[in-house]
């Protein structure tokens, strides 16, 4: 008799992706300026540590809030006792106001239509449970965040069908790519329930254009399906063009036929740099989705103490205005530092990079062949020899070998400079070892790329994996 369930023993979690394997190696040998200066520098973690001093300064000026006091009196008992899963009204109001402020107050959000969740991971999974059945599918543009294979699929049984985007147009979504993904799903006998995008994109670090967003809305309207816009990086846009939320497009179109089919995911993990607080949210104008998601949120609530503290912080408009502006300035400076360091090593980044906590880095010229196996070889050298943990494009389901995601906001400027020096030394050594005669590898077609995928690079469902092997 089997003691564990199929879910507990299955392979579909995605933990054996190179994205997570790099983290494991880092944890075995983490860099420390004093204790372990030759350790691995973590550049695979999209965490914003650049503006913690602003948060800490606010807490110092508001000790009663941090001490769970109101007007000098303790409210610890009130916060510690049971709270229902609808959340504190004061926090929900402060959160939707903050979301609107990040979007330049061009749109507003109704606090009655927001559902609080334990981070965006919980929010995305909850939406999958609400919108799709096991064996149905969502279309996602590539490259996409590796954790989605876990967040969207593992417990829900929902399938991901890639919308194949390429560097030829800076990985923008096109109508032919959308239609091809839809046809690919039909060939697999999958019913497509919607499209999901990250805007700004993880891992590209780019914002979606108005034309892309209108294309997506036209597509879901024509197919009668849903659109999920994961906008957890909306406050990290530091260069033009600015961020355009799907909610702004809906407002401009004023099309009541699609309002209840578009859902926004948000979180304070990236914009406010508080991933440990586990604060996420679903915003939807669909009453049935809000009601169902609210019931499901009981499996991943945000603590009342966290809500109370953040309601006060986000309700301080002078603080939020200064934080948003200063944080974006710091991100812009740090991104420039990374790009400059990469350029000195002869490495370029995606030119449209204007948001996020990372850059999409082009190392195709460092591959010994145009295959994902060559990408894995390069990744292993960078991980074990250069001792930098970066995320290979294949872990993000990129269709072109040689792209990598590099994070820049989770470390000090000194650490970033050390990382760039290490990488420059490596590239120079590689060039010397190969007689400085490497040429940029050109694309050789999807079929050869797909055949070169190593089994352990990233795990899709067993069905996905069989299809890859057959190509």
């Amino acid at each position: 008799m089997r003691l564990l369930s199929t879910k507990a023993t299955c392979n579909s979690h995605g933990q054996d992706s190179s994205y997570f394997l790099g983290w494991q190696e880092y944890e075995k040998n983490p860099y420390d300026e004093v204790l372990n200066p030759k350790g691995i520098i973590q550049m695979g973690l999209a965490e914003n540590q650049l503006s913690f001093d602003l948060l800490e300064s606010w807490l110092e000026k508001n000790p009663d809030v941090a001490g769970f006091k109101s007007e000098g009196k303790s409210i610890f008992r009130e916060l510690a006792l049971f709270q229902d899963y609808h959340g504190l009204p004061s926090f929900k109001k402060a959160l939707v106001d903050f979301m609107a402020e990040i979007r330049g107050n061009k749109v507003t959000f109704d606090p009655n239509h927001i559902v609080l969740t334990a981070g965006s991971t919980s929010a995305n999974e909850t939406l999958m449970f609400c919108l799709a059945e096991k064996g149905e599918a969502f279309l996602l543009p590539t490259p996409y965040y590796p954790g989605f294979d876990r967040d969207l699929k593992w417990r829900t049984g929902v399938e991901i069908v890639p919308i194949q985007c390429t560097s030829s147009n800076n990985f923008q979504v096109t109508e032919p790519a959308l239609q091809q993904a839809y046809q690919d799903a039909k060939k697999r006998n999958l019913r497509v329930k919607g499209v999901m995008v990250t805007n700004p994109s993880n891992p590209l670090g780019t914002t979606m254009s108005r034309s892309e967003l209108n294309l997506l809305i036209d597509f879901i309207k024509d197919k009668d399906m849903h659109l999920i816009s994961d906008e957890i990086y909306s406050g990290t846009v530091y260069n033009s063009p600015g961020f355009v939320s799907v909610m702004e497009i809906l407002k401009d179109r004023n099309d009541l036929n699609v309002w209840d089919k578009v859902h926004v995911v948000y979180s304070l993990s990236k914009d406010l740099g508080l991933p440990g607080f586990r604060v996420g949210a679903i915003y939807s104008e669909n009453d049935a989705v809000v009601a169902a998601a609210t019931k499901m949120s009981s499996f991943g609530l945000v603590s009342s103490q966290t809500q109370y503290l953040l309601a006060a912080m986000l309700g301080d408009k002078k603080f939020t205005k200064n934080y948003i502006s200063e944080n974006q300035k710091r991100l812009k400076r740090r991104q420039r530092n990374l790009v400059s360091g990469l350029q000195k090593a002869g490495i370029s980044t995606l030119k449209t990079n204007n948001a996020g906590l990372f850059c999409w880095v082009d190392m195709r010229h460092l591959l010994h062949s145009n295959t994902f196996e060559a990408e894995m070889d390069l990744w292993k050298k960078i991980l074990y020899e250069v001792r930098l943990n970066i995320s290979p494009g294949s872990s993000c389901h990129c269709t072109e070998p040689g792209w990598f995601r590099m994070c820049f906001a989770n470390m000090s400027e000194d650490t970033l400079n050390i990382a760039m020096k290490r990488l420059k030394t490596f590239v120079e050594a590689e060039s010397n070892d190969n007689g400085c005669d490497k040429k940029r590898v050109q694309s050789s077609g999807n079929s050869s790329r797909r055949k070169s995928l190593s089994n352990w690079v990233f795990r899709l469902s067993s069905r996905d994996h069989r299809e890859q092997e057959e190509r």
Side-chain angles (χ1 to χ4, degrees):
M1 181 178 68
R2 184 163 54 189
L3 296 178
L4 296 179
S5 69
T6 302
K7 184 65 65 182
T9 56
C10 73
N11 253 343
S12 59
H13 181 276
Q15 196 69 33
D16 54 356
S17 160
S18 52
Y19 174 77
F20 293 109
L21 290 173
W23 280 30
Q24 293 172 19
E25 292 304 309
Y26 162 76
E27 289 168 358
K28 296 175 186 175
N29 184 25
Y31 169 83
D32 183 272
E33 181 181 359
V34 177
L35 300 178
N36 191 20
K38 294 185 178 180
I40 296 174
I41 295 175
Q42 174 63 290
M43 302 188 76
L45 176 62
E47 193 171 75
N48 185 5
Q49 298 182 17
L50 300 187
S51 299
F52 258 111
D53 61 307
L54 303 181
L55 303 175
E56 291 168 338
S57 175
W58 187 90
L59 290 171
E60 289 176 3
K61 295 175 183 177
N62 296 271
D64 275 9
V65 177
F68 304 122
K69 293 181 180 180
S70 179
E71 298 178 354
K73 296 181 180 179
S74 174
I75 56 170
F76 176 78
R77 179 185 293 269
E78 178 184 341
L79 294 172
L81 296 176
F82 176 77
Q83 297 281 352
D84 72 28
Y85 47 51
H86 291 86
L88 298 183
S90 60
F91 175 60
K92 294 173 76 172
K93 176 64 166 60
L95 181 60
V96 297
D97 287 349
F98 184 65
M99 292 169 63
E101 186 177 6
I102 284 174
R103 290 156 180 78
N105 290 308
K106 296 175 182 177
V107 293
T108 58
F109 298 87
D110 183 349
N112 293 315
H113 285 270
I114 199 163
V115 180
L116 301 180
T117 63
S120 61
T121 294
S122 177
N124 284 318
E125 185 186 56
T126 296
L127 278 175
M128 289 297 112
F129 275 122
C130 289
L131 304 179
E133 302 287 350
K134 179 180 180 180
E136 294 180 332
F138 264 75
L139 310 181
L140 270 70
T142 62
Y144 63 77
Y145 167 54
F148 282 155
D149 290 322
R150 169 200 64 201
D151 302 351
L152 309 185
K153 296 173 55 174
W154 184 42
R155 297 197 299 185
T156 66
V158 173
E159 298 290 336
I160 294 175
V161 177
I163 303 168
Q164 305 288 9
C165 303
T166 68
S167 62
S168 62
N169 69 342
N170 297 313
F171 298 96
Q172 289 188 317
V173 177
T174 64
E175 184 174 7
L178 266 174
Q179 296 292 350
Q180 184 60 55
Y182 185 75
Q183 293 303 318
D184 290 344
K186 288 182 66 175
K187 290 176 183 177
R188 294 171 54 184
N189 295 316
L190 294 173
R191 182 186 179 192
V192 179
K193 296 302 294 290
V195 179
M196 180 175 175
V197 297
T198 56
N199 182 30
S201 168
N202 178 10
L204 296 177
T206 58
T207 49
M208 299 193 80
S209 66
R210 288 180 178 272
S211 60
E212 284 179 282
L213 291 168
N214 275 301
L215 170 64
L216 291 169
I217 293 175
D218 288 339
F219 181 80
I220 65 140
K221 182 179 178 181
D222 177 62
K223 304 294 186 185
D224 192 25
M225 59 178 62
H226 295 274
L227 172 62
I228 299 173
S229 182
D230 184 327
E231 300 183 355
I232 68 172
Y233 289 95
S234 53
T236 68
V237 183
Y238 47 80
N239 263 339
S240 60
F243 173 67
V244 179
S245 170
V246 69
M247 299 298 293
E248 189 177 337
I249 301 298
L250 289 176
K251 180 182 176 182
D252 292 345
R253 292 171 65 115
N254 195 28
D255 187 346
L256 298 179
N257 293 321
V258 293
W259 270 97
D260 65 345
K261 296 181 178 68
V262 179
H263 321 278
V264 173
V265 168
Y266 187 61
S267 164
L268 296 180
S269 296
K270 310 303 181 181
D271 290 352
L272 210 58
L274 298 174
F277 275 35
R278 306 311 304 147
V279 178
I282 297 167
Y283 186 84
S284 176
E285 295 287 345
N286 188 313
D287 291 336
V289 169
V290 171
T294 300
K295 294 172 186 175
M296 292 183 186
S297 70
S298 62
F299 294 101
L301 298 174
V302 182
S303 76
S304 298
Q305 293 87 344
T306 298
Q307 292 184 57
Y308 173 74
L309 189 156
L310 292 176
M313 181 181 287
L314 298 182
D316 185 339
K317 298 307 176 187
K318 182 179 179 181
F319 166 77
T320 57
K321 180 181 179 180
N322 177 67
Y323 180 90
I324 291 171
S325 174
E326 181 62 24
N327 184 56
Q328 290 171 347
K329 290 177 183 176
R330 295 180 183 189
L331 288 171
K332 184 175 183 177
R333 286 197 297 268
R334 183 57 62 84
Q335 187 262 4
R336 284 178 174 175
N337 289 347
L338 174 61
V339 171
S340 174
L342 290 171
Q343 288 175 341
K344 291 175 182 177
I347 297 171
S348 62
T349 61
L350 191 66
K351 293 180 180 179
T352 49
N353 178 220
N354 68 327
L357 311 176
F358 34 73
C359 288
W360 192 236
V361 178
D362 185 359
M363 296 192 191
R364 288 176 292 179
H365 61 296
L366 297 176
L367 301 183
H368 58 71
S369 65
N370 184 47
T371 64
F372 284 108
E373 288 166 341
E375 179 181 282
M376 284 297 97
D377 289 342
L378 177 60
W379 174 70
K380 290 175 184 176
K381 286 183 177 180
I382 293 173
L383 179 62
Y384 294 110
E385 297 177 18
V386 188
R387 298 181 305 284
L388 304 179
N389 177 38
I390 62 178
S391 304
S394 52
S395 71
C396 304
H397 302 267
C398 185
T399 59
E400 302 173 11
W403 291 91
F404 294 80
R405 190 191 75 167
M406 280 192 188
C407 300
F408 56 75
N410 64 316
M411 67 193 75
S412 69
E413 187 171 351
D414 288 341
T415 301
L416 179 61
N417 290 336
I418 291 171
M420 292 300 96
K421 288 178 181 177
R422 289 184 183 181
L423 190 59
K424 184 174 183 292
T425 299
F426 167 75
V427 173
E428 290 172 348
E430 284 288 289
S431 298
N432 291 334
D433 288 345
N434 292 279
C436 300
D437 61 350
K438 283 190 175 181
K439 297 179 181 179
R440 176 174 292 279
V441 181
Q442 300 296 322
S443 173
S444 61
N446 283 343
S447 60
S448 63
R449 285 197 295 267
R450 289 298 179 183
K451 289 176 183 177
S452 69
L453 285 170
S454 301
N455 290 344
W456 65 274
V457 171
F458 57 81
R459 294 279 186 180
L460 303 177
S461 67
S462 58
R463 178 187 298 169
D464 294 335
H465 187 59
R466 286 196 300 273
E467 289 190 355
Q468 296 289 353
E469 292 297 312
E470 290 167 359
R471 291 181 183 177

